[in-house]
Amino acid sequence: MNTIATTAIGHARRHAGFVAILAALAGLMFGLDVGVISGAQQFIQREFAISDRTLENVVSSMMVGAAVGAALAAWLSMHFGRKRSLVFSGSLFVIGSLICAAAWSPEALIGARFVLGLAIGIAAFTAPLYLAEIAPPDRRGAMISTYQLMITIGIFVAFLSDTGFSYIEGWRWMLGIIALPGALFLLGVMGLPESPRWLVLKQRHADADAVLQKLRGDPAAVRDEVAEITEQLRTPQQGWRLFLQNRNFRRSVALGIALQVVQQLTGINVVMYYAPRIFADMGYATSAQMWFTAIVGLTNVLATFIAIGFVDKIGRKPILYAGFVVMAIGLGIVGWLMYMGMGTQVERLLAVAMLLLFVVGFAFSAGPLVWTLCSEIQPLKGRDFGIGVSTVTNWVSNAIVGATFLTLLNGFGHARTFWLYAAFNAVFLLFTWALIPETRGVTLEQIERKLMAGERLRNIGA
Ligand code: BGC
């Protein structure tokens, strides 16, 4: 190959890398949004003098917005394109963050967090779709894991920034500062090319060629890819009709729903949203609460690498078993320590360590793997629908967990609340054994064939 062609390809690879970074920024914002509320709560509660019940609404209105956003996202990104959906989401993100910072009443805050949620729901559906459509085929897996990792990094950064602003009790700063990465994201996505796949879908073949030429740099590769996309689009998406007509597809949709409910009922977001409160209830003062929360965030990031390293080597099911065992043990011991009342420093530190153990268990298993499995089990014709339904389920169950934790603590008691979640994790071992297929090293076509032939769900993989 001559030097000019090589330079063009090198240039194109860098361009594709830049595109991926921008779309992964969507993951970062997802994480910032999840993380930011935990440190702000106590100051919000004090300033507006609101009950735990109202505080739960402040926390969970974001997830309700995200559920609505995710439900709208498939339609938006189909009609207006992936790029315009991302631009719309970026704008909502900036507006929502600024109104949060300026909120004059608890109701205004609840409304602004709903808007923020819409932004995240749309981005959380559209960005992975865009990434998968634009990534060079040999780097697709890596790009999607990057997106996962970005979520945990976003949570961690939000925890750190909350810790910094906690010294001036600056909850408005905590909530407002994330407009900055939001604005960067918005500027970035405005410069993105439209997804070539969507362009082909809309019969804009010349535009698709031009975008791919810029991304890949090699005319032969562009021709192959356009041919492949055109071939794939011969299988039109017909999710809803398939859902009504085909029992086997209903089974995979149901499995996607169950997987997401399970992920949320592990209790992970109890920790992500309420960690400082949990540390307060263990007897720690404000600055220790905030720093421990930052450590929770860092642990969550680091343990995600374990999943990335092992998921294609030892498989999904062994990792899930290990994760549920670790989570059940961690939460079980936290509950037990809460029950005994933590009299000594050692017991209090042990409680922190066990909460961290729980986070490790989640981050190397159910966190990334549920998203992976959800995208693997749906047949091609119903993939958009199936993934859309499971994503909405993620946010709905996320909202329920967020909206009930303080009520549970107050009504049911600390120990029993943690035991409840520990028990869920123990039950999920059974769920894993009975229903989850092992999808490692199996092509999506093989999974689809077995599913549609009526094999039991646990057997549709290897
Ligand atoms: C979950 C989120 C959670 C995050 C924590 C994701 O996989 O879907 O609800 O906040 O992990 O890292």
Side-chain angles (χ1 to χ4, degrees):
M1 207 182 286
N2 65 36
T3 11
I4 297 177
T6 320
T7 322
I9 292 174
H11 183 78
R13 283 226 153 223
R14 272 197 301 285
H15 188 79
F18 174 69
V19 165
I21 290 174
L22 277 175
L25 261 180
L28 187 82
M29 299 199 321
F30 178 146
L32 286 172
D33 238 0
V34 166
V36 77
I37 198 64
S38 70
Q41 286 177 41
Q42 51 179 314
F43 307 116
I44 292 172
Q45 191 166 30
R46 214 172 301 154
E47 177 161 338
F48 290 126
I50 51 178
S51 66
D52 276 355
R53 195 67 267 267
T54 309
L55 191 60
E56 285 174 335
N57 292 337
V58 170
V59 172
S60 52
S61 55
M62 192 274 275
M63 288 84 94
V64 176
V68 176
L72 288 177
W75 180 82
L76 278 175
S77 63
M78 182 56 150
H79 283 266
F80 299 103
R82 285 53 165 141
K83 175 180 170 171
R84 265 177 276 177
S85 296
L86 287 172
V87 169
F88 180 54
S89 147
S91 320
L92 287 182
F93 191 86
V94 174
I95 297 170
S97 312
L98 293 177
I99 305 181
C100 275
W104 50 92
S105 69
E107 291 73 26
L109 193 54
I110 290 171
R113 278 185 55 78
F114 179 83
V115 172
L116 213 51
L118 283 179
I120 294 305
I122 296 170
F125 178 88
T126 313
L129 183 72
Y130 181 81
L131 268 181
E133 290 180 345
I134 209 145
D138 58 327
R139 292 204 295 186
R140 191 172 298 149
M143 280 192 180
I144 296 177
S145 330
T146 311
Y147 177 75
Q148 297 274 354
L149 192 65
M150 293 303 281
I151 297 178
T152 60
I153 293 177
I155 296 177
F156 175 51
V157 170
F159 285 172
L160 269 186
S161 136
D162 279 6
T163 304
F165 286 120
S166 70
Y167 288 95
I168 54 165
E169 308 204 348
W171 68 266
R172 290 180 189 276
W173 279 104
M174 296 176 190
L175 299 185
I177 194 98
I178 59 176
L180 227 58
L184 264 181
F185 172 76
L186 181 56
L187 283 179
V189 287
M190 280 157 105
L192 286 181
E194 186 44 271
S195 148
R197 197 187 155 92
W198 184 77
L199 290 167
V200 173
L201 195 68
K202 294 283 163 185
Q203 310 294 339
R204 289 165 55 184
H205 295 272
D207 291 338
D209 276 358
V211 170
L212 275 172
Q213 182 54 38
K214 239 177 134 180
L215 290 170
R216 306 285 184 257
D218 173 5
V222 170
R223 264 195 311 278
D224 288 351
E225 209 168 324
V226 170
E228 196 188 319
I229 294 175
T230 314
E231 178 58 39
Q232 279 181 3
L233 289 178
R234 294 230 172 92
T235 310
Q237 287 293 317
Q238 41 173 261
W240 179 239
R241 203 179 332 143
L242 194 63
F243 183 80
L244 292 179
Q245 291 169 352
N246 190 305
R247 178 176 172 274
N248 288 318
F249 180 48
R250 286 198 292 275
R251 293 190 306 144
S252 66
V253 171
L255 181 60
I257 292 175
L259 280 163
Q260 291 289 3
V261 171
V262 162
Q263 191 207 47
Q264 292 304 313
L265 290 187
T266 58
I268 186 63
N269 283 318
V270 156
V271 182
M272 295 301 138
Y273 301 136
Y274 296 106
R277 168 71 176 258
I278 296 172
F279 292 128
D281 292 350
M282 288 177 180
Y284 288 103
T286 305
S287 87
Q289 290 162 27
M290 302 301 293
W291 283 107
F292 281 143
T293 302
I295 295 172
V296 164
L298 183 60
T299 307
N300 191 26
V301 175
L302 295 179
T304 304
F305 284 104
I306 306 179
I308 294 175
F310 287 106
V311 63
D312 286 322
K313 295 207 181 81
I314 57 181
R316 283 52 162 157
K317 286 182 83 155
I319 296 184
L320 282 172
Y321 285 130
F324 290 129
V325 167
V326 169
M327 287 189 274
I329 292 177
L331 289 184
I333 299 180
V334 171
W336 180 69
L337 289 163
M338 293 265 184
Y339 179 74
M340 302 297 284
M342 285 155 282
T344 68
Q345 185 64 17
V346 174
E347 284 167 344
R348 281 207 292 274
L349 281 175
L350 182 63
V352 175
M354 288 301 110
L355 207 64
L356 290 176
L357 182 71
F358 163 74
V359 172
V360 170
F362 177 85
F364 78 65
S365 68
L369 282 191
V370 162
W371 292 107
T372 311
L373 282 161
C374 280
S375 68
E376 290 174 335
I377 55 173
Q378 304 301 348
L380 186 58
K381 261 196 274 186
R383 194 156 289 157
D384 289 7
F385 178 84
I387 296 178
V389 169
S390 56
T391 306
V392 172
T393 308
N394 173 280
W395 289 110
V396 171
S397 32
N398 194 324
I400 294 171
V401 169
T404 52
F405 180 62
L406 297 178
T407 305
L408 274 175
L409 282 187
N410 295 335
F412 200 44
H414 285 69
R416 268 182 279 179
T417 300
F418 284 100
W419 281 335
L420 177 70
Y421 280 110
F424 281 148
N425 282 290
V427 171
F428 296 155
L429 284 168
L430 212 67
F431 169 80
T432 307
W433 174 76
L435 289 170
I436 297 186
E438 179 54 79
T439 53
R440 177 182 72 117
V442 189
T443 67
L444 300 185
E445 290 70 30
Q446 285 167 319
I447 297 175
E448 173 161 351
R449 214 173 309 123
K450 288 188 181 173
L451 171 78
M452 290 317 214
E455 280 276 2
R456 294 169 76 174
L457 286 171
R458 56 186 285 204
N459 294 335
I460 63 174

